[in-house]
Amino acid sequence: DQGVADIWVKTSSRESADTNDKITIKICDSATNCCEVDLDNPSEADRKRSALDKYSDPAMLGSCFNTKFEGDLSVTLSKDGTNGWYVDYAVIYLAQKNSFTCNFNIWLDNESGSSRSKTVQCDEELSTPPPTTTTTSIQNIFLDQGVADIWVKTSSRESADTNDKITIKICDSATNCCEVDLDNPSEADRKRSALDKYSDPAMLGSCFNTKFEGDLSVTLSKDGTNGWYVDYAVIYLAQKNSFTCNFNIWLDNESGSSRSKTVQCDE
């Protein structure tokens, strides 16, 4: 019940975001316990454009697998070589069943004005382990369709939180769509820095049984007058694939803003 269980790293969908340079991650806590490991999955090509790379094998996690962490985490991503890389975020899942989301949204490069290394503070989320078929509803597995989990990340910036009602609409390239209000009755949704997770069929509504094909787009909409800054959403399908939908935007009714935004998601 210690150490890192999973490391997830998201490469941007923007042009030339991918890299074949070596990437090293260093994870440190507030008590200066640290680990460092090269992020390399020998069975796959790491850091392709739009890819969400996942490292869970103890051999890939190296010393991080057995390093015990306490308190807040910071993460440093570093690269060698001359092939620039745009990283969106990293998520660190600990064996203690909490996770830390680390937002980068930056080029790592050796060109003027850039750096090949970046350190960020991470936002803690009390959570279950990363979604797998063992944590997905049995009914959903047998149907092999529909949404298994919806994750939505509220920014850590000032006043990013909201208590307004938020609706999500998910559509595929074949115009199959579902829509549901994002509400966890047992928790306060959309607190500042929160990663809200919806996996109960009752919370997923019609999305739980809607079969999707091909690419996904997601629309987030809000009512009321309390602005909300949303970083991203992740849609996990029962077919075991996932889609990351980057927003990085205020939803608001003030001049220059909108209360609704649609984005294309990266599989």
Side-chain angles (χ1 to χ4, degrees):
D1 194 28
Q2 67 180 39
V4 175
D6 281 83
I7 298 173
W8 292 11
V9 179
K10 176 66 171 60
T11 296
S12 174
S13 60
R14 66 182 62 200
E15 190 72 27
S16 302
D18 57 307
T19 188
N20 54 11
D21 285 353
K22 183 179 78 172
I23 302 296
T24 301
I25 190 169
K26 183 177 181 180
I27 305 170
C28 294
D29 66 12
S30 50
T32 68
N33 300 303
C34 295
C35 72
E36 189 168 335
V37 65
D38 294 340
L39 294 175
D40 179 36
N41 184 342
S43 65
E44 296 182 3
D46 304 90
R47 292 171 290 282
K48 288 184 176 180
R49 183 179 171 193
S50 302
L52 180 61
D53 294 302
K54 304 177 183 180
Y55 306 90
S56 56
D57 190 302
M60 291 190 281
L61 295 171
S63 63
C64 295
F65 181 70
N66 290 316
T67 302
K68 186 173 183 179
F69 295 103
E70 301 174 8
D72 296 333
L73 293 190
S74 65
V75 160
T76 302
L77 288 172
S78 307
K79 65 178 288 298
D80 68 359
T82 58
N83 185 206
W85 178 45
Y86 197 104
V87 53
D88 285 339
Y89 60 85
V91 185
I92 311 301
Y93 293 93
L94 299 185
Q96 295 97 313
K97 299 185 180 177
N98 52 334
S99 67
F100 292 80
T101 301
C102 320
N103 289 302
F104 284 85
N105 297 308
I106 195 172
W107 282 105
L108 296 184
D109 205 349
N110 61 338
E111 292 189 358
S112 177
S114 298
S115 171
R116 292 194 294 182
S117 179
K118 177 68 175 179
T119 302
V120 302
Q121 288 295 128
C122 305
D123 300 320
E124 183 178 9
E125 314 293 342
L126 296 178
S127 68
T128 56
T132 66
T133 53
T134 59
T135 60
T136 305
S137 160
I138 295 299
Q139 178 188 352
N140 203 262
I141 291 171
F142 286 139
L143 288 173
D144 195 31
Q145 68 180 39
V147 175
D149 282 85
I150 298 172
W151 292 12
V152 179
K153 176 68 169 59
T154 297
S155 175
S156 59
R157 65 183 61 200
E158 190 71 27
S159 303
D161 57 308
T162 188
N163 54 10
D164 285 353
K165 183 179 78 172
I166 302 295
T167 301
I168 190 169
K169 183 178 182 180
I170 305 169
C171 293
D172 67 12
S173 50
T175 68
N176 300 302
C177 294
C178 71
E179 189 168 335
V180 65
D181 294 340
L182 294 176
D183 179 36
N184 184 343
S186 65
E187 296 182 5
D189 304 90
R190 291 171 289 283
K191 289 184 176 180
R192 184 179 171 193
S193 300
L195 181 63
D196 293 303
K197 304 177 183 182
Y198 307 91
S199 57
D200 190 300
M203 291 190 280
L204 295 172
S206 63
C207 295
F208 180 71
N209 290 317
T210 301
K211 186 172 184 179
F212 295 102
E213 301 174 7
D215 296 333
L216 293 190
S217 65
V218 161
T219 303
L220 288 172
S221 307
K222 64 177 290 297
D223 67 0
T225 58
N226 185 206
W228 178 45
Y229 197 103
V230 52
D231 285 339
Y232 60 84
V234 185
I235 311 301
Y236 295 94
L237 299 185
Q239 295 96 316
K240 303 180 187 177
N241 52 335
S242 65
F243 292 81
T244 301
C245 320
N246 288 302
F247 284 85
N248 298 307
I249 195 171
W250 282 105
L251 295 185
D252 205 349
N253 61 337
E254 291 190 357
S255 176
S257 297
S258 173
R259 292 194 294 183
S260 180
K261 177 69 175 178
T262 302
V263 302
Q264 289 296 128
C265 304
D266 301 319
E267 184 174 5

